[in-house]
Every structure is written in structure tokens, then in C-alpha cells.
Amino acid sequence: MPRGPRHHLKRVDAPSKWMLDKLGGTFAPRPTEGSHGLRESIPLLLILREKLNYALNATEVTKILMANFVEVDAKVRTNPKYPAGFQDVITIPKTGESYRVLFDIKGRFQLHKVNEKEAQYKLCKVVQKYTGRNNTPFLRTHDNRVIRYPDPAAKIDDTIKVNLRTGKMSTIVRFKEGNLCMITGGRNTGRIGVIESREPHPGSYEIVHVRDTAGNDFTTRRENIFVIGHEKTAMISLPAMNGVRMTTLEDRKRKLKNLKRQKRGH
């Protein structure tokens, strides 16, 4: 076995949420170490080439990034393999477009277009609180953002609203029953619903019961919950379907209906 960190990623081993075809080559771009993990992020190269169709190949992506045309969380990024993850805001000032990285109802990465006002902030989940040198309190979020002297009211698993320009936190959303949440891991990734109850299991995983707007109940682990709003009001704009997963038959009927509309339009 080779020694040291790996710098390559086979295409067949890439996360399925990237939606890469098997015959597109042997390798896939491996995200560099950054604010998100390898399998919880998607490199900028795939976002510009596969999602937004701003480039045909990696060379064109590199030229776009080196011209300082792309910002991630209000900071210019020039690395094609920079990892963009959940809730990151990708802004292209040249075109005036902004996108928030979310999950669709099937757990795949989705770029949701947002307006200029919403692109100024993001939601971050609190994953750690600790005290540093000279008794300085710190708070770490899901994107490895560290905030000094945070609001003492913020607890682990709560969600905070962070201004991307100043880096300061403002609103705190509690992790509690009755609040709106999005699932960020497991088989229910991408689904949105209201937290109904919590089922603690000492020594094992805590299970959370969630109900979506269609009245469907499902469960997931506590670490997969990302609170996105007070009660039933979301703090961010949501993509189509509002996180409601459809059955196979319902999805087929929806697609056939869309095809009929397209034919009528032609």
C-alpha cells in the first residue's frame, strides 16, 4: 500500500450525490481538504462544468476561477477542487447570480438560486463548544467555522444565522420539537419536515421523529437533523417540492404530466 495521503479518486468510487456518469473517464476530481469532508462536499470544478454548464472542460474552469469570477461564502476561491458543501453560498458577481448548495429530495447536491439579500447569510449548525486560552469561549459549526465569544444561549445542534460579510452570528434556532428541519444524512437526505418527538437511547443513537407537509412520518438519527426555521417558517428559501419525497408512482405521474405540458407548449 502506498504511504501518505491519497490525491486521486476513481470515478466509480465518487459519491453518488455528485451524479457522475461511469463512462466519463477513469478519475474524478478529488476535493481538497477544507471546510467540508470528502463525501459531504462537491468540488467547484463539477459545479461550474456539470451543474451550471459554464465550462466544457477543466481547463476552462481553471481560467474562470483564476479570473476571480467565483466567490464561495463571500470569499474568492481559485482552487478548482475547493470543497463546497451544504448551505454554502456560491456567487458569480459578473452575472449577478447566487446559489445555495442544498440537497434534493433524493439526497443529491442541488444548486438553489437565491436573491441578493438571501445570499448575504447562511445557516450553520453548532457541532462543538469549548474554551480556549485565557478562558476564551469558542464555537465551531458544521462547516468548520470558528466563532469567538459566541452567544452563550447557542447550544450544540442548534442552528445560527451567520452574516457572510462580517462573520458574526445573529439569530439562534433551537433544536427542539415543533421546529422545521432538513435531513442531511442517511436514507432520508433532502427531506424537510417538522420535528415531532425525540427518542433517546442511552449508549446508542438518539432517534428523531419527523413529519413533512404531506403528513408522512419518518425517523432519522439526531446527527442528521439540521434545523432551518422556527416552527413551520423556514429562514431560507426552499427548492421545489418543499422536501416532500414522492413514491415511485407519484413521481411517474408527475413526470408524465410535465411531458404533456411541454408537448402542448411546442
Side-chain angles (χ1 to χ4, degrees), residues 151-226:
D151 189 335
K155 306 298 181 182
I156 292 180
D157 289 334
D158 289 350
T159 297
I160 59 176
K161 183 178 178 181
V162 178
N163 188 308
L164 295 178
R165 297 296 176 182
T166 62
K168 296 182 179 180
M169 58 179 289
S170 56
T171 309
I172 301 176
V173 186
R174 294 291 182 192
F175 173 73
K176 65 178 184 179
E177 291 84 351
N179 281 348
L180 192 67
C181 69
M182 176 179 278
I183 313 302
T184 59
R187 300 189 62 176
N188 292 310
T189 301
R191 301 182 72 174
I192 299 174
V194 176
I195 300 175
E196 291 293 320
S197 61
R198 294 160 55 182
E199 186 180 333
H201 293 276
S204 184
Y205 299 101
E206 181 175 340
I207 303 300
V208 180
H209 295 258
V210 184
R211 176 175 296 175
D212 60 16
T213 56
N216 302 318
D217 295 327
F218 57 94
T219 59
T220 187
R221 295 179 180 178
R222 174 173 179 160
E223 56 265 26
N224 296 334
I225 297 290
F226 193 108

Coordinates of all heavy atoms in Angstrom, one line a residue, residues 151-226:
D151 N -22.7 33.8 21.4 CA -23.9 34.0 22.3 C -23.9 32.8 23.2 O -24.0 31.6 22.7 CB -25.1 34.2 21.5 CG -26.3 34.6 22.4 OD1 -26.3 34.3 23.6 OD2 -27.3 35.2 21.8
P152 N -23.9 32.9 24.5 CA -24.0 31.8 25.4 C -25.2 30.9 25.2 O -25.3 29.8 25.7 CB -23.9 32.4 26.8 CG -23.4 33.8 26.6 CD -23.8 34.2 25.2
A153 N -26.3 31.5 24.6 CA -27.5 30.8 24.5 C -27.5 29.7 23.4 O -28.3 28.8 23.4 CB -28.7 31.8 24.2
A154 N -26.5 29.8 22.6 CA -26.3 28.8 21.5 C -25.8 27.5 22.0 O -24.8 27.4 22.7 CB -25.4 29.3 20.4
K155 N -26.5 26.4 21.8 CA -26.2 25.1 22.3 C -25.8 24.2 21.1 O -26.1 24.5 19.9 CB -27.3 24.4 23.1 CG -27.8 25.3 24.2 CD -26.8 25.6 25.3 CE -27.3 26.4 26.4 NZ -26.3 26.8 27.4
I156 N -25.2 23.0 21.4 CA -24.9 22.0 20.4 C -26.2 21.5 19.7 O -27.2 21.3 20.3 CB -24.1 20.9 21.0 CG1 -22.7 21.4 21.4 CG2 -23.9 19.8 19.9 CD1 -21.8 20.3 22.0
D157 N -26.1 21.4 18.4 CA -27.2 21.0 17.5 C -28.2 22.2 17.2 O -29.1 22.0 16.4 CB -28.0 19.8 18.0 CG -27.1 18.5 17.9 OD1 -26.2 18.5 17.1 OD2 -27.4 17.6 18.7
D158 N -28.0 23.3 17.8 CA -28.8 24.5 17.4 C -28.3 25.0 16.1 O -27.1 24.7 15.6 CB -28.7 25.6 18.5 CG -29.5 25.2 19.7 OD1 -30.2 24.2 19.7 OD2 -29.3 25.9 20.7
T159 N -29.1 25.9 15.4 CA -28.7 26.5 14.2 C -28.5 28.0 14.4 O -29.4 28.6 15.0 CB -29.7 26.2 13.1 OG1 -29.7 24.8 12.8 CG2 -29.3 26.9 11.8
I160 N -27.5 28.6 13.8 CA -27.3 30.0 13.9 C -27.2 30.6 12.5 O -26.9 30.0 11.6 CB -26.0 30.3 14.7 CG1 -24.7 29.7 14.0 CG2 -26.0 29.8 16.1 CD1 -23.4 30.1 14.6
K161 N -27.6 31.9 12.5 CA -27.6 32.6 11.2 C -26.3 33.5 11.2 O -26.1 34.3 12.1 CB -28.8 33.5 11.1 CG -29.0 34.3 9.8 CD -30.3 35.1 9.8 CE -30.4 35.9 8.6 NZ -31.7 36.7 8.6
V162 N -25.5 33.3 10.2 CA -24.2 33.9 10.1 C -24.1 34.9 8.9 O -24.5 34.5 7.8 CB -23.1 32.9 10.0 CG1 -21.7 33.5 9.9 CG2 -23.1 31.9 11.2
N163 N -23.7 36.1 9.2 CA -23.5 37.1 8.1 C -22.2 36.8 7.4 O -21.1 36.7 8.1 CB -23.5 38.5 8.7 CG -23.5 39.6 7.7 OD1 -22.6 39.6 6.8 ND2 -24.4 40.5 7.8
L164 N -22.2 36.6 6.1 CA -21.0 36.1 5.4 C -20.0 37.3 5.3 O -18.8 37.0 5.1 CB -21.4 35.6 4.0 CG -22.3 34.4 4.0 CD1 -22.7 34.0 2.6 CD2 -21.6 33.2 4.7
R165 N -20.4 38.5 5.3 CA -19.5 39.6 5.2 C -18.7 39.9 6.5 O -17.5 40.1 6.4 CB -20.3 40.9 4.7 CG -20.9 40.8 3.4 CD -19.9 40.6 2.3 NE -20.6 40.4 1.0 CZ -20.0 40.1 -0.2 NH1 -18.6 40.1 -0.2 NH2 -20.6 39.9 -1.3
T166 N -19.4 39.8 7.6 CA -18.8 40.1 8.9 C -18.4 38.9 9.6 O -17.5 38.9 10.5 CB -19.8 41.0 9.7 OG1 -20.9 40.2 10.0 CG2 -20.1 42.2 9.0
G167 N -19.0 37.8 9.3 CA -18.7 36.5 10.1 C -19.4 36.4 11.4 O -19.0 35.5 12.2
K168 N -20.3 37.3 11.7 CA -20.9 37.4 13.1 C -22.3 36.6 13.0 O -22.9 36.6 12.0 CB -21.1 38.8 13.5 CG -19.8 39.6 13.7 CD -20.1 41.0 14.2 CE -18.8 41.7 14.5 NZ -19.0 43.1 14.9
M169 N -22.6 36.0 14.1 CA -23.9 35.3 14.3 C -24.9 36.2 14.8 O -24.7 37.2 15.5 CB -23.7 34.1 15.2 CG -23.2 34.5 16.6 SD -23.1 33.1 17.7 CE -24.8 32.7 17.9
S170 N -26.2 35.9 14.4 CA -27.3 36.8 14.8 C -28.4 35.9 15.5 O -28.5 35.9 16.7 CB -27.8 37.6 13.7 OG -28.2 36.8 12.6
T171 N -29.2 35.3 14.6 CA -30.4 34.5 15.1 C -30.0 33.1 15.5 O -29.1 32.5 14.9 CB -31.5 34.5 14.0 OG1 -31.7 35.8 13.5 CG2 -32.7 33.9 14.6
I172 N -30.6 32.6 16.6 CA -30.4 31.3 17.0 C -31.7 30.5 16.9 O -32.8 31.0 17.4 CB -29.9 31.2 18.5 CG1 -28.6 32.0 18.6 CG2 -29.8 29.8 19.0 CD1 -28.1 32.1 20.1
V173 N -31.7 29.3 16.3 CA -32.9 28.5 16.2 C -32.6 27.2 17.0 O -31.6 26.5 16.7 CB -33.2 28.1 14.7 CG1 -34.5 27.4 14.6 CG2 -33.2 29.4 13.8
R174 N -33.5 26.9 17.9 CA -33.3 25.8 18.8 C -33.6 24.5 18.1 O -34.4 24.4 17.2 CB -34.3 25.9 20.0 CG -34.0 27.1 20.9 CD -32.7 26.9 21.6 NE -32.4 28.0 22.6 CZ -31.3 28.2 23.1 NH1 -30.3 27.4 22.9 NH2 -31.1 29.2 24.0
F175 N -32.8 23.5 18.6 CA -33.1 22.1 18.2 C -34.1 21.5 19.2 O -33.8 21.1 20.3 CB -31.8 21.3 18.2 CG -32.0 19.8 18.0 CD1 -32.3 19.3 16.7 CD2 -31.9 18.9 19.0 CE1 -32.6 18.0 16.5 CE2 -32.1 17.5 18.8 CZ -32.4 17.1 17.6
K176 N -35.4 21.6 18.8 CA -36.5 21.2 19.7 C -37.7 20.8 18.9 O -37.7 21.1 17.7 CB -36.8 22.3 20.7 CG -37.4 23.6 20.0 CD -37.8 24.6 21.1 CE -38.5 25.8 20.4 NZ -38.9 26.8 21.4
E177 N -38.6 20.2 19.5 CA -39.9 19.8 18.9 C -40.6 21.0 18.4 O -40.7 22.0 19.0 CB -40.8 19.0 19.9 CG -40.2 17.6 20.2 CD -39.2 17.7 21.4 OE1 -38.9 18.8 21.8 OE2 -38.8 16.6 21.9
G178 N -41.2 20.8 17.2 CA -42.0 21.9 16.6 C -41.3 22.7 15.6 O -41.9 23.5 14.8
N179 N -39.9 22.6 15.5 CA -39.2 23.5 14.6 C -39.0 22.7 13.2 O -38.9 21.5 13.2 CB -37.8 23.9 15.1 CG -38.0 25.0 16.1 OD1 -39.0 25.7 16.2 ND2 -36.9 25.3 16.9
L180 N -38.8 23.5 12.2 CA -38.6 22.9 10.8 C -37.1 22.5 10.7 O -36.2 23.2 11.1 CB -39.0 24.0 9.8 CG -39.1 23.5 8.3 CD1 -40.3 22.5 8.2 CD2 -39.3 24.7 7.4
C181 N -36.9 21.3 10.0 CA -35.6 20.8 9.8 C -35.4 20.2 8.4 O -36.4 19.8 7.8 CB -35.3 19.8 10.9 SG -36.2 18.3 10.8
M182 N -34.2 20.0 8.0 CA -33.9 19.3 6.8 C -32.9 18.2 7.2 O -32.0 18.4 8.0 CB -33.2 20.2 5.8 CG -32.7 19.5 4.5 SD -32.0 20.6 3.3 CE -33.5 21.2 2.4
I183 N -33.1 17.0 6.5 CA -32.2 15.9 6.8 C -31.0 16.0 5.9 O -31.1 16.1 4.7 CB -33.0 14.6 6.5 CG1 -34.4 14.6 7.2 CG2 -32.2 13.4 7.1 CD1 -34.4 14.9 8.7
T184 N -29.8 15.8 6.6 CA -28.5 16.0 5.8 C -27.8 14.7 5.7 O -26.6 14.7 5.2 CB -27.7 17.0 6.5 OG1 -27.4 16.7 7.9 CG2 -28.4 18.4 6.5
G185 N -28.3 13.6 6.2 CA -27.6 12.3 6.1 C -28.5 11.1 6.2 O -29.7 11.3 6.7
G186 N -28.1 10.0 5.8 CA -28.9 8.8 5.9 C -29.8 8.6 4.6 O -29.7 9.3 3.6
R187 N -30.8 7.7 4.7 CA -31.6 7.4 3.5 C -32.7 8.5 3.3 O -33.3 8.5 2.2 CB -32.3 6.1 3.8 CG -31.3 4.9 3.9 CD -32.0 3.6 3.9 NE -32.7 3.3 2.7 CZ -33.3 2.2 2.4 NH1 -33.4 1.2 3.3 NH2 -34.0 2.0 1.2
N188 N -32.9 9.4 4.3 CA -33.9 10.4 4.1 C -33.3 11.8 3.8 O -33.9 12.8 4.0 CB -34.7 10.6 5.4 CG -35.6 9.4 5.6 OD1 -36.3 8.9 4.8 ND2 -35.5 8.8 6.8
T189 N -32.0 11.8 3.3 CA -31.3 13.0 3.0 C -32.2 13.9 2.0 O -32.6 13.4 1.0 CB -30.0 12.7 2.4 OG1 -29.2 12.0 3.3 CG2 -29.2 14.0 2.1
G190 N -32.3 15.1 2.3 CA -33.0 16.1 1.5 C -34.5 16.3 1.9 O -35.1 17.2 1.4
R191 N -35.0 15.5 2.7 CA -36.4 15.6 3.1 C -36.5 16.7 4.2 O -35.6 17.0 5.0 CB -37.0 14.3 3.7 CG -36.9 13.2 2.7 CD -37.5 11.9 3.2 NE -39.0 12.0 3.3 CZ -39.8 11.0 3.7 NH1 -39.2 9.8 3.9 NH2 -41.1 11.1 3.8
I192 N -37.7 17.4 4.2 CA -37.9 18.5 5.1 C -39.2 18.2 5.9 O -40.2 17.8 5.3 CB -38.0 19.8 4.3 CG1 -36.7 20.1 3.5 CG2 -38.4 21.0 5.2 CD1 -36.8 21.4 2.6
G193 N -39.1 18.5 7.1 CA -40.3 18.3 8.0 C -40.2 19.0 9.3 O -39.2 19.6 9.6
V194 N -41.2 18.8 10.1 CA -41.2 19.3 11.5 C -40.9 18.2 12.5 O -41.3 17.1 12.4 CB -42.6 19.9 11.8 CG1 -42.7 20.4 13.2 CG2 -43.0 21.0 10.8
I195 N -40.0 18.6 13.5 CA -39.6 17.7 14.5 C -40.8 17.4 15.4 O -41.3 18.3 16.0 CB -38.4 18.2 15.3 CG1 -37.2 18.5 14.4 CG2 -38.0 17.2 16.4 CD1 -36.1 19.1 15.1
E196 N -41.2 16.1 15.4 CA -42.4 15.7 16.2 C -42.0 15.3 17.7 O -42.5 15.7 18.6 CB -43.1 14.6 15.5 CG -43.8 15.0 14.3 CD -45.0 16.0 14.5 OE1 -45.7 15.8 15.5 OE2 -45.1 16.9 13.8
S197 N -41.0 14.4 17.7 CA -40.5 13.9 19.1 C -39.1 13.4 19.0 O -38.6 13.2 17.8 CB -41.5 12.8 19.6 OG -41.5 11.7 18.7
R198 N -38.5 13.2 20.1 CA -37.2 12.6 20.2 C -37.2 11.4 21.1 O -37.9 11.3 22.1 CB -36.2 13.7 20.8 CG -36.0 14.9 19.9 CD -35.5 16.1 20.6 NE -34.2 15.8 21.3 CZ -33.6 16.6 22.1 NH1 -34.1 17.9 22.3 NH2 -32.5 16.3 22.7
E199 N -36.5 10.4 20.6 CA -36.5 9.1 21.3 C -35.1 8.7 21.7 O -34.3 8.2 20.9 CB -37.0 8.0 20.3 CG -37.2 6.6 20.9 CD -37.8 5.7 19.9 OE1 -38.4 6.1 18.9 OE2 -37.5 4.5 20.0
P200 N -34.7 9.1 23.0 CA -33.3 8.8 23.4 C -33.0 7.3 23.6 O -33.9 6.6 24.1 CB -33.2 9.6 24.7 CG -34.6 9.7 25.2 CD -35.5 9.7 24.0
H201 N -31.8 6.9 23.3 CA -31.4 5.5 23.6 C -30.0 5.6 24.2 O -29.0 5.7 23.5 CB -31.3 4.7 22.2 CG -32.7 4.5 21.6 ND1 -33.5 3.4 22.0 CD2 -33.3 5.2 20.7 CE1 -34.6 3.5 21.3 NE2 -34.5 4.5 20.5
P202 N -29.9 5.6 25.5 CA -28.6 5.7 26.2 C -27.6 4.6 25.7 O -28.0 3.4 25.6 CB -29.0 5.5 27.6 CG -30.4 5.9 27.8 CD -31.0 5.5 26.5
G203 N -26.5 5.1 25.3 CA -25.5 4.2 24.8 C -25.6 3.9 23.3 O -24.8 3.1 22.7
S204 N -26.6 4.5 22.6 CA -26.8 4.2 21.2 C -27.2 5.6 20.6 O -27.0 6.6 21.2 CB -27.8 3.2 21.0 OG -27.9 2.9 19.6
Y205 N -27.8 5.5 19.4 CA -28.1 6.7 18.7 C -29.5 7.2 19.1 O -30.4 6.4 19.3 CB -28.2 6.5 17.1 CG -26.8 6.0 16.6 CD1 -26.6 4.7 16.3 CD2 -25.8 7.0 16.3 CE1 -25.4 4.3 15.8 CE2 -24.6 6.6 15.8 CZ -24.4 5.3 15.5 OH -23.2 4.9 15.0
E206 N -29.6 8.5 19.3 CA -30.9 9.1 19.6 C -31.7 9.2 18.3 O -31.2 9.7 17.2 CB -30.8 10.5 20.2 CG -32.1 11.2 20.5 CD -31.9 12.5 21.3 OE1 -30.8 12.7 21.8 OE2 -32.9 13.3 21.3
I207 N -33.0 8.8 18.3 CA -33.8 8.8 17.1 C -34.8 10.0 17.2 O -35.4 10.2 18.2 CB -34.6 7.4 17.0 CG1 -33.6 6.3 17.0 CG2 -35.5 7.4 15.8 CD1 -32.6 6.3 15.8
V208 N -34.9 10.6 16.0 CA -35.8 11.8 16.0 C -37.0 11.5 15.0 O -36.7 11.0 13.9 CB -35.1 13.1 15.5 CG1 -36.0 14.3 15.4 CG2 -33.9 13.4 16.5
H209 N -38.2 11.7 15.4 CA -39.4 11.5 14.5 C -39.7 12.8 13.9 O -39.9 13.9 14.5 CB -40.5 11.0 15.4 CG -40.3 9.6 16.0 ND1 -40.8 8.5 15.4 CD2 -39.5 9.2 17.0 CE1 -40.4 7.4 16.1 NE2 -39.7 7.9 17.1
V210 N -39.9 12.8 12.5 CA -40.2 14.0 11.7 C -41.4 13.8 10.9 O -41.7 12.6 10.4 CB -38.9 14.3 10.8 CG1 -39.2 15.6 10.1 CG2 -37.7 14.4 11.7
R211 N -42.2 14.8 10.6 CA -43.4 14.8 9.8 C -43.3 15.9 8.8 O -43.1 17.0 9.1 CB -44.6 14.9 10.6 CG -45.9 14.9 9.8 CD -47.2 14.9 10.7 NE -47.2 13.7 11.4 CZ -48.2 13.5 12.4 NH1 -49.0 14.4 12.7 NH2 -48.2 12.3 13.0
D212 N -43.4 15.5 7.5 CA -43.4 16.5 6.4 C -44.7 17.2 6.2 O -45.7 16.8 6.8 CB -42.8 15.9 5.1 CG -43.7 14.8 4.6 OD1 -44.8 14.7 5.0 OD2 -43.2 14.0 3.7
T213 N -44.8 18.1 5.2 CA -46.1 18.8 5.0 C -47.1 18.0 4.4 O -48.3 18.3 4.4 CB -45.8 20.0 4.0 OG1 -45.2 19.5 2.8 CG2 -44.8 21.0 4.7
A214 N -46.8 16.8 3.8 CA -47.8 15.9 3.2 C -48.3 14.9 4.3 O -49.2 14.1 4.0 CB -47.2 15.1 2.1
G215 N -47.8 15.0 5.5 CA -48.3 14.2 6.6 C -47.6 12.8 6.7 O -48.0 12.0 7.5
N216 N -46.5 12.7 6.0 CA -45.7 11.5 6.0 C -44.7 11.5 7.2 O -44.0 12.5 7.4 CB -44.9 11.3 4.7 CG -45.8 11.2 3.5 OD1 -46.8 10.6 3.5 ND2 -45.4 11.9 2.4
D217 N -44.7 10.4 8.0 CA -43.8 10.3 9.2 C -42.6 9.5 8.8 O -42.7 8.5 8.1 CB -44.5 9.7 10.3 CG -45.7 10.6 10.8 OD1 -45.5 11.8 10.8 OD2 -46.7 10.0 11.3
F218 N -41.4 9.9 9.3 CA -40.2 9.1 9.1 C -39.2 9.5 10.3 O -39.5 10.4 11.0 CB -39.5 9.5 7.8 CG -39.2 10.9 7.5 CD1 -37.9 11.4 7.9 CD2 -40.1 11.8 7.0 CE1 -37.6 12.7 7.7 CE2 -39.8 13.1 6.8 CZ -38.6 13.6 7.1
T219 N -38.2 8.6 10.4 CA -37.3 8.8 11.5 C -35.9 8.9 11.0 O -35.6 8.4 9.9 CB -37.4 7.6 12.5 OG1 -37.1 6.4 11.8 CG2 -38.8 7.5 13.1
T220 N -35.0 9.4 11.8 CA -33.6 9.5 11.4 C -32.8 9.7 12.7 O -33.3 10.0 13.8 CB -33.3 10.7 10.5 OG1 -32.0 10.6 10.0 CG2 -33.6 12.0 11.1
R221 N -31.5 9.7 12.6 CA -30.6 9.9 13.8 C -30.5 11.4 14.1 O -30.7 12.2 13.2 CB -29.2 9.3 13.5 CG -29.2 7.8 13.4 CD -27.8 7.3 13.1 NE -27.7 5.9 13.0 CZ -26.6 5.2 12.7 NH1 -25.5 5.9 12.5 NH2 -26.6 3.9 12.6
R222 N -30.2 11.7 15.3 CA -30.1 13.1 15.7 C -29.1 13.9 14.9 O -29.3 15.0 14.6 CB -29.8 13.1 17.2 CG -29.5 14.5 17.7 CD -29.4 14.6 19.2 NE -29.1 15.9 19.7 CZ -29.3 16.4 20.9 NH1 -29.8 15.5 21.9 NH2 -29.0 17.6 21.3
E223 N -27.9 13.2 14.7 CA -26.9 14.0 14.0 C -27.2 14.3 12.5 O -26.5 15.1 11.9 CB -25.5 13.2 14.0 CG -25.7 11.8 13.4 CD -25.9 10.7 14.5 OE1 -26.5 11.1 15.6 OE2 -25.5 9.6 14.3
N224 N -28.3 13.7 12.0 CA -28.7 14.0 10.6 C -29.7 15.2 10.5 O -30.1 15.6 9.4 CB -29.3 12.8 10.0 CG -28.4 11.6 9.8 OD1 -27.2 11.8 9.7 ND2 -28.9 10.4 9.8
I225 N -30.1 15.7 11.7 CA -31.0 16.8 11.7 C -30.3 18.2 11.6 O -29.4 18.5 12.3 CB -31.9 16.8 13.0 CG1 -32.7 15.5 13.1 CG2 -32.8 18.0 13.1 CD1 -33.8 15.4 12.1
F226 N -30.8 19.0 10.7 CA -30.3 20.4 10.5 C -31.5 21.3 10.6 O -32.3 21.4 9.7 CB -29.6 20.5 9.2 CG -28.8 21.8 9.1 CD1 -27.4 21.8 9.1 CD2 -29.4 23.0 8.9 CE1 -26.7 22.9 9.0 CE2 -28.7 24.2 8.8 CZ -27.3 24.2 8.8

